Amino acid sequence: MKVMSFNTQHCLNYLTREIDYEVMAEAILAQSPDIVGLNEMRSDGEDSEWPNQTARLSELTGMEHYYFAQAINEGGPYGNGFLSKIPILSAETILVPEHEGEKSPRYEQRCLLKAKLENGVTVLVIHVGLSDPEKLKAVETIINNLPDKKVILMGDFNMEPDCPMLAPIRERLFDTAELFGEEKQSWPSDEPEIKIDYILISPDLEAVSADIPAVVASDHRPYIAEIKA
């Protein structure tokens, strides 16, 4: 099973600075994934000027099963998306609880997308906040929603690999980046300086390969991994 994590920056073409569904779909199709976790996706709804971007990419890629998880509603619904060639048995949106105390000026409500697939795999997709308290709450939310077996966790964590706040996740899941063979970065896509995107799996799954291909579509490069489920 080919897995892809992709922060699309609401399908904003990094080079032209225009919304470009075709270039995002091409970036996805070039990797031939079976499932794709999407970050920073917009959707339709009351007061929204946007279409359901997850549905639009589903149409363009031919990945007929999809789900959108709303985190906030500012200018319309905004959150994480999921595309799949494998039927989705169930899907839900789990909000990351707000932390106590003063909020950062850049604070934003986040959510965890949780989808169970027909092949028995549960997929978690998250976009972690920027401040340390937000990161701790996100990690706590992930840990509280980890299934006992067959889980794939992916997304933009806004944490580099040596961040100590990742420890509870690393104790439970295997980081597919260990298969890179050399250090790879994911952001910004034209001249990447840091790696903040992840695909991690439970010990009962096997990672065959992983890569961050040199693709400039969004501001993040996509992350791919081949998994035996």
Side-chain angles (χ1 to χ4, degrees):
M1 179 170 59
K2 193 100 172 265
V3 178
M4 181 175 184
S5 182
F6 192 23
N7 184 330
T8 72
Q9 198 182 20
H10 60 277
C11 298
L12 183 68
N13 186 315
Y14 187 67
L15 298 178
T16 67
R17 311 310 295 168
E18 295 179 352
I19 300 300
D20 193 333
Y21 301 113
E22 285 73 18
V23 79
M24 299 302 159
E26 289 169 6
I28 292 169
L29 288 170
Q31 305 304 323
S32 302
D34 296 295
I35 60 174
V36 184
L38 302 164
N39 300 130
E40 297 192 20
M41 298 294 287
R42 295 192 178 275
S43 189
D44 51 1
E46 188 176 352
D47 299 325
S48 176
E49 299 178 359
W50 304 88
N52 184 327
Q53 294 184 324
T54 307
R56 184 76 178 112
L57 291 184
S58 170
E59 177 185 359
L60 290 172
T61 61
M63 301 179 75
E64 60 178 310
H65 309 285
Y66 66 90
Y67 180 76
F68 170 73
Q70 179 179 328
I72 59 174
N73 188 7
E74 292 185 7
Y78 183 78
N80 300 312
F82 181 61
L83 304 174
S84 180
K85 293 179 181 177
I86 305 162
I88 301 170
L89 298 183
S90 63
E92 61 180 314
T93 302
I94 301 161
L95 294 179
V96 175
E98 292 190 16
H99 62 275
E100 296 180 359
E102 186 177 352
K103 302 293 188 294
S104 162
R106 299 179 69 186
Y107 172 78
E108 180 182 300
Q109 173 73 65
R110 307 284 176 152
C111 73
L112 176 69
L113 183 159
K114 186 174 185 178
K116 186 167 184 179
L117 305 183
E118 190 178 62
N119 63 358
V121 172
T122 298
V123 179
L124 303 177
V125 181
I126 196 162
H127 184 193
V128 176
L130 296 171
S131 71
D132 286 355
E134 291 176 80
K135 292 171 184 176
L136 290 170
K137 279 295 183 182
V139 170
E140 179 183 311
T141 302
I142 290 167
I143 296 302
N144 289 341
N145 287 279
L146 278 180
D148 294 331
K149 59 182 180 180
K150 287 194 173 183
V151 60
I152 297 171
L153 168 66
M154 57 179 155
D156 174 359
F157 286 14
N158 275 314
M159 290 180 271
E160 295 187 60
D162 60 353
C163 178
M165 286 181 282
L166 287 172
I169 295 174
R170 292 192 178 282
E171 290 169 1
R172 295 164 174 81
L173 302 177
F174 173 77
D175 188 347
T176 60
E178 292 190 24
L179 301 181
F180 282 168
E182 62 180 357
E183 187 174 300
K184 291 180 179 287
Q185 318 295 357
S186 63
W187 183 90
S189 58
D190 57 342
E191 296 182 5
E193 301 171 351
I194 57 175
K195 178 189 174 295
I196 51 177
D197 299 273
Y198 294 81
I199 298 175
L200 301 105
I201 62 173
S202 54
D204 55 350
L205 300 178
E206 179 185 353
V208 178
S209 63
D211 192 19
I212 297 179
V215 174
V216 181
S218 169
D219 63 332
H220 287 243
R221 290 185 175 186
Y223 183 152
I224 58 170
E226 183 77 26
I227 308 296
K228 284 187 180 180

